[in-house]
Amino acid sequence: MSKLSLKNRIAFYYIISAALLIFVVFFSIYNIVSATINKNINDQLRKEVNEYKLKVGFQKNILKINDHEEWEKREHNEAFVDPVFLQVTDLKGNIIEKSRNLSTRKLLFKKNIKKEEISNLIVLDKSIRQIQVPLYFNSKIQGYLMVALSTAEENDVLNSLSKILYILFPIVLLTLFFISQFIAGKSIKPINNIIAISETINKNNLSTRLPLPKNKDELFVLSNTINNLLDRIANTIEREKQFTSDASHELRTPLAVIKGTLEVLIRKPRNTEEYQSKINLCISEIDRMNNLVDQLLLLARLENQKLFLRIEKHNINDIINEVINQFSNELQKQQITIIFDCNSPYFINSDKYLLSIILHNLISNAIKYSKIKSSITISIEHIDNKTSIKIEDHGIGIANEEIEKVFNAFYRTNFTSNHTKIGGIGLGLSIAKRLCDVLNIDLKLSSEENLGTTVTLII
């Protein structure tokens, strides 16, 4: 079955279903015709019985036929087409009277029956159906009347009907098979078109899209789904190319600085202070490059979903204080004050290491883009069984049209790009956003240019 094509499988399943349905229909037709014929025969037998019961009497404790003329009729004397066979017996089955067309044969007798009994038997090499009824006189059974009719013609009709149905069954199935193959071929033609177009799409030709059918059926959904998939693949490849280009550029920059500094140093002898200054510059660039590599590795783990989470209960106040202490030198250098006055402790269930990275990147950005001698406010509160952490600075801000873009890797706003003194490689918010997605933390950002930025974490 698995080796059959889709068209043939559809035709096969259709023909199996059709075969069962046709069998049920033919079987029903045969049984309905058979039941109708049998009912007509039984009705005819009962009619004959009712007629001949009137001609049987009981005189001097002996069963008698009141009118022998009826027994002399041709239909009882000859065994031609549709003869009627008659027989009257006593309680023990002794024949009192019978029609001449029975000759030396006799009808089937059953003892001790109290109501009509219908049987099928062979008489004179003919199939007949017999009805036996008790004869009551003075509320007692005194004998039995048996009437039989030939069923040869009815049997011939049923045999002919069964032969016709047997012949029609394979013919109808074969016809339906070819029709179903044709219909299946027409039905899967759009799928073949989808396959043909899909085969033309490769890494160098991701712009091709499948045409959408006019009818919004399953094929429309399939084509639309494939187009959406191609859009996602194209966007992913484009982001990967941009990511590779940006990462190469960011790695090349410190390497170029280190190379240029070392080339200057070897041109001529320098004093100790000059050597120390240039070496410290190289160390700074190496630290920057190490930081970039660490962030790239973290992004790679996020992309591959290879982070191991350790969800435990933690005091968020302590985590924030630890992160703030890491920026003591920068805060003192830029004369920035962090206002974090939280008297009551707040506990959350999360991964401490990843949450620390998120807070580190957000507070780092707040310090980096704040104005000298400004302040940064950090607050915590409970809202609807959730913990909200808000980090608010009074820095350069972000334009509305760039807020959604700042979460892209290596993206830096036009404003920061024009201020070369502001460091950074554009990975902090991207990493923070992806870690928030991993920890099911809702990250919201609002900002106004030259007024500041507010970042809210809802845990």
Side-chain angles (χ1 to χ4, degrees):
M1 177 60 71
S2 59
K3 294 181 180 180
L4 293 177
S5 64
L6 177 60
K7 181 179 75 173
N8 288 331
R9 284 204 303 273
I10 293 173
F12 178 78
Y13 294 139
Y14 175 80
I15 207 66
I16 291 295
S17 303
L20 293 175
L21 180 60
I22 294 169
F23 175 79
V24 171
V25 171
F26 282 9
F27 184 78
S28 300
I29 291 173
Y30 181 84
N31 281 281
I32 290 170
V33 172
S34 177
T36 303
I37 290 175
N38 288 329
K39 182 179 180 300
N40 291 336
I41 295 174
N42 293 340
D43 291 343
Q44 183 64 30
L45 285 172
R46 291 187 182 98
K47 180 182 176 183
E48 296 286 347
V49 165
N50 291 331
E51 288 181 4
Y52 292 110
K53 278 175 71 175
L54 299 175
K55 297 176 173 59
V56 179
F58 190 70
Q59 298 175 1
K60 297 180 181 181
N61 297 325
I62 299 174
L63 285 174
K64 295 287 185 179
I65 303 300
N66 295 328
D67 189 358
H68 273 274
E69 293 181 4
E70 183 66 26
W71 297 85
E72 302 297 328
K73 285 186 178 179
R74 183 168 180 261
E75 62 180 359
H76 306 314
N77 296 327
E78 303 291 342
F80 342 134
V81 182
D82 294 337
V84 177
F85 301 97
L86 300 173
Q87 180 175 297
V88 179
T89 67
D90 60 15
L91 293 175
K92 294 180 179 180
N94 297 318
I95 298 175
I96 297 172
E97 291 286 350
K98 67 176 181 178
S99 57
R100 293 180 183 179
N101 55 10
L102 282 173
S103 185
T104 60
R105 295 171 179 80
K106 59 182 180 180
L107 299 178
L108 178 66
F109 172 75
K110 294 184 179 180
K111 292 183 179 181
N112 302 323
I113 66 168
K114 295 182 180 181
K115 57 182 181 178
E116 70 176 34
E117 187 85 17
I118 296 177
S119 307
N120 293 315
L121 60 151
I122 303 294
V123 174
L124 300 175
D125 298 326
K126 290 181 178 293
S127 298
I128 67 171
R129 177 165 296 181
Q130 167 194 311
I131 184 170
Q132 178 180 340
V133 296
L135 297 173
Y136 285 89
F137 295 98
N138 296 326
S139 301
K140 291 184 179 180
I141 300 176
Q142 302 296 339
Y144 296 97
L145 171 63
M146 282 153 276
V147 180
L149 291 174
S150 173
T151 58
E153 282 193 4
E154 289 77 5
N155 290 337
D156 290 340
V157 170
L158 290 176
N159 290 334
S160 299
L161 177 62
S162 63
K163 289 178 181 178
I164 292 172
L165 295 179
Y166 278 130
I167 294 171
L168 280 178
F169 187 73
I171 294 175
V172 171
L173 286 185
L174 195 61
T175 304
L176 287 177
F177 177 74
F178 289 115
I179 293 174
S180 62
Q181 268 205 326
F182 175 76
I183 295 174
K186 295 284 288 184
S187 300
I188 67 171
K189 186 177 180 180
I191 298 178
N192 292 330
N193 293 336
I194 292 174
I195 294 172
I197 297 174
S198 299
E199 287 177 345
T200 64
I201 301 173
N202 52 47
K203 64 179 181 179
N204 299 321
N205 181 27
L206 285 175
S207 59
T208 303
R209 294 294 179 269
L210 299 174
L212 296 178
K214 295 180 180 179
N215 297 327
K216 293 189 176 181
D217 51 12
E218 289 80 0
L219 291 175
F220 178 91
V221 175
L222 175 63
S223 301
N224 193 45
T225 302
I226 294 175
N227 286 342
N228 292 336
L229 175 63
L230 291 172
D231 289 339
R232 292 195 296 273
I233 292 173
N235 291 336
T236 300
I237 292 176
E238 188 61 32
R239 286 199 306 270
E240 291 294 334
K241 289 180 179 179
Q242 187 64 40
F243 181 86
T244 304
S245 175
D246 294 337
S248 301
H249 173 74
E250 293 296 336
L251 287 171
R252 191 183 298 114
T253 300
L255 288 174
V257 172
I258 293 171
K259 181 174 181 293
T261 302
L262 294 177
E263 286 176 345
V264 169
L265 284 178
I266 63 174
R267 285 179 184 170
K268 62 178 181 179
R270 308 281 179 175
N271 57 40
T272 303
E273 291 181 357
E274 286 180 320
Y275 277 118
Q276 287 179 344
S277 174
K278 298 300 182 182
I279 290 173
N280 286 333
L281 177 60
C282 291
I283 292 173
S284 174
E285 292 298 323
I286 290 172
D287 289 340
R288 179 187 172 193
M289 191 160 55
N290 281 334
N291 180 51
L292 173 60
V293 171
D294 290 340
Q295 294 187 67
L296 290 175
L297 289 175
L298 180 56
L299 271 179
R301 288 199 297 272
L302 286 171
E303 288 289 342
N304 296 326
Q305 298 180 350
K306 292 184 178 180
L307 288 177
F308 177 73
L309 300 181
R310 296 183 60 183
I311 305 299
E312 296 175 344
K313 189 175 183 179
H314 298 288
N315 187 332
I316 189 63
N317 307 54
D318 295 340
I319 297 176
I320 292 175
N321 283 322
E322 289 175 7
V323 174
I324 292 174
N325 291 333
Q326 295 174 10
F327 295 101
S328 56
N329 291 334
E330 286 87 344
L331 293 171
Q332 185 176 1
K333 183 178 179 181
Q334 298 186 44
Q335 300 179 31
I336 294 173
T337 303
I338 290 186
I339 303 171
F340 177 54
D341 187 10
C342 189
N343 296 324
S344 58
Y346 290 87
F347 292 91
I348 60 167
N349 291 316
S350 189
D351 186 294
K352 181 180 179 180
Y353 172 68
L354 298 183
L355 184 59
S356 298
I357 295 176
I358 294 172
L359 292 169
H360 182 279
N361 288 356
L362 296 179
I363 294 175
S364 172
N365 274 7
I367 295 171
K368 191 184 303 177
Y369 299 111
S370 287
K371 299 172 183 176
I372 296 176
K373 296 182 180 182
S374 63
S375 63
I376 299 172
T377 303
I378 302 175
S379 60
I380 308 175
E381 61 179 336
H382 277 311
I383 302 176
D384 297 333
N385 296 323
K386 296 180 180 180
T387 302
S388 174
I389 305 172
K390 187 176 292 185
I391 303 171
E392 184 178 3
D393 65 56
H394 301 86
I396 61 177
I398 305 170
N400 287 332
E401 62 271 13
E402 292 186 299
I403 288 179
E404 290 297 326
K405 299 177 183 178
V406 295
F407 295 111
N408 296 333
F410 296 108
Y411 183 82
R412 303 190 73 200
T413 65
N414 293 328
F415 192 85
T416 55
S417 299
N418 296 330
H419 290 71
T420 54
K421 291 183 179 181
I422 299 177
I425 56 178
L427 286 177
L429 283 178
S430 177
I431 292 174
K433 181 66 172 68
R434 297 193 189 189
L435 289 177
C436 284
D437 293 338
V438 171
L439 297 176
N440 292 322
I441 296 174
D442 190 12
L443 189 153
K444 297 181 179 179
L445 187 148
S446 60
S447 183
E448 291 186 39
E449 285 188 280
N450 298 316
L451 293 178
T453 301
T454 301
V455 178
T456 305
L457 298 176
I458 300 176
I459 306 173

